[in-house]
Each structure stands twice: as structure tokens, then as C-alpha cells.
Amino acid sequence: MLTGIAETALRHALPALAGHRDDGRPPLRSASACRRCAARHGQRTPVPAHVPAHQRACRRHRTWLGLAIQIDITPAPDITAASRKASRLAREHGITRLVLAETTARQDAIAGPHARRRATALALASPGLDPGHPDTAEAAAYPETIKIAAVFLRTPDALPDGPG
């Protein structure tokens, strides 16, 4: 109402903000496109993009697509492997259930020792990267997050019922 634009028009223009959709398309999230992918097409400034909700990294360029920063994850190949596993889990269980499982698993994974060590390794490999930054912490915890999420997805009644 505040914008003066019809809700239907906003949902069409901003699909990541549309919430649950019944049109068969996968859930999306707003992110900045991989800066290296954008540079290949001559774009030097951040490019807003709608990506599948479970997609956290550009596997081609080994770049974590954080909310605020993009992180070179080349020094942590297990993050790229976890991204491939997340794609398989999304195909098997659906993106919505995977994102729910990830959200449920993330807090435990971020607090773990593997994530802290990986965050430090990422920061050492990328001068100026803060190992305590939320995007760094999420990227560093991602392999454990996906492992825990996979267990949730395989365990009946481990997750609350939600949309398909």
C-alpha cells in the first residue's frame, strides 16, 4: 500500500520477496551475483540477482555469496563440496525443506570448532577478511550445516511440517 504499486506487480518484480509460491518455480533469495561472473559480462558494479534459495556459492569461481560480502572459498574446498551436496539434497527433498533444515542446523554448526578453524583459514588466505563477520562464519560453518541438515532430512519428524 505504501508504494502505490499493486501487490501482484511487486510479487512479479521481486520474486524473492513473494514468499511461498504455488507456480512450480523454486523458491528464490535476493543476492548479489558473483562479481567474477558479472565481470565476465563487463559489469564492474554489484548486480542484484534472484538465485535459488539454497544456492550459497558460485561453484565456477569458488566464491561465497554472502549477504554483505563475497568470499573466495578456494582455500576451503569442503565448502564447494557442501554446495554440490546441497544441490543434490534440494533435488531429493525440495528446496524449501532443505532451507528449513539448514536454518535449523546453522546455529549448532557455527558454534563448532571446525567452523572456527575454517573461518580463521579463510581470513588468513584473504587479507582484510574478518573471521568474525557473519558471512565468514556462515561460509565456514556451511559444510557442517549441510551434514547436519542431511541428517534432519533423513530423519522422520526431525523437521516441522512446512510447505512442500
Side-chain angles (χ1 to χ4, degrees), residues 64 66-69 71 106 110 130-141:
W64 183 260
L67 294 175
I69 60 174
I71 302 166
R106 188 171 295 119
I110 285 177
D130 176 10
H133 189 281
D135 287 336
T136 307
E138 185 176 346

Side-chain angles (χ1 to χ4, degrees), residues 41 49 53-54 59 61 93 97 104 115 121 157 161 164:
H41 298 283
H54 72 286
R59 292 194 300 247
H61 295 111
H93 300 279
R97 288 196 48 81
T104 305
D157 300 326
D161 288 333

Side-chain angles (χ1 to χ4, degrees), residues 31-33 46-50:
S32 289
V47 177
H50 291 105

Side-chain angles (χ1 to χ4, degrees), residues 1-155:
M1 273 171 84
L2 294 175
T3 65
I5 300 171
E7 182 179 340
T8 306
L10 285 174
R11 287 179 188 266
H12 181 69
L14 303 168
L17 305 178
H20 177 66
R21 301 181 323 197
D22 291 327
D23 60 6
R25 293 183 296 170
L28 301 172
R29 72 180 181 99
S30 294
S32 289
C34 169
R35 64 182 177 270
R36 292 179 190 161
C37 288
R40 287 182 61 210
H41 298 283
Q43 186 66 33
R44 302 286 180 232
T45 58
V47 177
H50 291 105
V51 297
H54 72 286
Q55 185 176 328
R56 305 276 188 241
C58 172
R59 292 194 300 247
R60 171 181 285 180
H61 295 111
R62 294 179 188 93
T63 300
W64 183 260
L65 304 175
L67 294 175
I69 60 174
Q70 293 188 6
I71 302 166
D72 179 9
I73 55 174
T74 304
D78 48 345
I79 296 174
T80 304
S83 180
R84 283 191 300 274
K85 184 174 183 175
S87 291
R88 282 192 306 274
L89 290 170
R91 283 190 303 274
E92 292 172 21
H93 300 279
I95 293 174
T96 303
R97 288 196 48 81
L98 173 60
V99 171
L100 176 61
E102 279 185 53
T103 302
T104 305
R106 188 171 295 119
Q107 280 308 109
D108 290 337
I110 285 177
H114 297 295
R116 286 193 297 275
R117 282 195 298 275
R118 197 175 294 107
T120 301
L122 287 170
L124 288 172
S126 300
L129 183 64
D130 176 10
H133 189 281
D135 287 336
T136 307
E138 185 176 346
Y142 194 61
E144 286 74 29
T145 299
I146 294 302
K147 285 178 192 171
I148 296 168
V151 171
F152 286 154
L153 290 168
R154 286 191 309 262
T155 306

